[in-house]
Amino acid sequence: MESDCLKEVISEILNVDINEISEETTFLSDLGADSLDVFQIIMGVEERLNIEIDPDEVEKIITVGEAVELIRKYTE
């Protein structure tokens, strides 16, 4: 659930094919996203899942998999 939601938001915000996004995909190198894009993506996930993630933790995210784990931490 968290993974699918995240991939949908990434696809919408960065205009990337959802099938090209995996847990190993990096935001910067693979997707060309900057830190502002990552925050925007996380905000989109927060809205959809009705959660609030600590911004300090968002800054440490490098891969989609790390973002999924962080989101899971806040949805449990």
Side-chain angles (χ1 to χ4, degrees):
M1 177 179 142
E2 293 89 355
S3 179
D4 292 338
C5 177
L6 177 62
K7 288 179 182 180
E8 288 171 10
V9 174
I10 291 170
S11 177
E12 290 170 12
I13 291 176
L14 299 179
N15 199 25
V16 180
D17 183 346
I18 198 166
N19 297 314
E20 295 179 11
I21 304 168
S22 72
E23 300 259 331
E24 294 79 32
T25 302
T26 61
F27 285 99
L28 181 63
S29 300
D30 297 330
L31 298 174
D34 60 21
S35 58
L36 189 59
D37 292 325
V38 174
F39 274 101
Q40 190 176 2
I41 290 163
I42 295 300
M43 286 187 338
V45 171
E46 287 176 326
E47 285 180 25
R48 290 180 187 207
L49 299 178
N50 198 27
I51 58 174
E52 190 171 327
I53 297 173
D54 182 350
D56 291 336
E57 292 188 78
V58 176
E59 291 178 11
K60 300 172 187 169
I61 295 171
I62 295 172
T63 67
V64 171
E66 290 173 3
V68 170
E69 288 304 312
L70 181 60
I71 294 163
R72 283 189 181 133
K73 178 179 162 183
Y74 284 87
T75 56
E76 293 177 344

